[in-house]
Amino acid sequence: MARKRFCYVVFVGKIPGIYESWIACSEQVTHFHGAAFKKYPSLEEANNAWTVYVEAHFNVQLLSPKLPELPTDYPPLLVPVQANMDDQTPSKLPKHCMYIAMLLVGVVIVILLLLVIMYIF
């Protein structure tokens, strides 16, 4: 039996928009205070919900209920993010890598401060 594919609309999150996988959606709402999102059974319903939200909250009227064709370098506010359902690997580094990088930056800052202090005195 084929898996039913859902679409997710991130109304408030890191990058609001329409996402076609829970992994992509969760990256936008995880650790984002006040995040607002909802699951829809089809891309059409997700697009309709997104259109209503944008028109109501930003005092604009979109010309078409269909997603516009935008250049690839345009910010992805109205462009659904394509995701491979088979790819279950998160795109972010693990937390321990981030902590190690922050520790290294802190050590470099301390060394620079010590060098400045030694130079002054």
Side-chain angles (χ1 to χ4, degrees):
M1 180 179 229
R3 264 175 92 175
K4 183 166 178 155
R5 299 186 89 184
F6 294 101
C7 290
Y8 303 84
V9 177
V10 176
F11 299 105
V12 179
K14 296 173 187 171
I15 302 176
I18 300 171
Y19 295 86
E20 292 188 306
S21 76
W22 168 244
I23 293 172
C25 175
S26 68
E27 288 177 357
Q28 305 309 316
V29 298
T30 303
H31 303 298
F32 190 94
H33 182 69
F37 61 96
K38 187 173 180 183
K39 177 172 71 171
Y40 292 92
S42 69
L43 180 59
E44 182 180 341
E45 289 182 56
N47 186 46
N48 290 339
W50 176 250
T51 301
V52 168
Y53 175 79
V54 169
E55 289 175 350
H57 288 82
F58 297 101
N59 202 21
V60 297
Q61 185 167 5
L62 299 177
L63 299 176
S64 169
K66 294 183 179 180
L67 293 174
E69 294 296 327
L70 300 174
T72 56
D73 59 340
Y74 192 80
L77 289 178
L78 296 177
V79 179
V81 175
Q82 301 295 324
N84 184 354
M85 294 299 284
D86 297 330
D87 182 17
Q88 299 294 320
T89 308
S91 61
K92 294 185 180 180
L93 291 174
K95 281 188 178 181
H96 68 276
C97 291
M98 187 172 61
Y99 294 140
I100 291 170
M102 290 187 325
L103 177 66
L104 290 174
V105 168
V107 168
V108 169
I109 290 172
V110 168
I111 290 172
L112 289 174
L113 286 173
L114 289 174
L115 289 173
V116 168
I117 291 171
M118 287 174 46
Y119 179 75
I120 292 174
F121 297 107

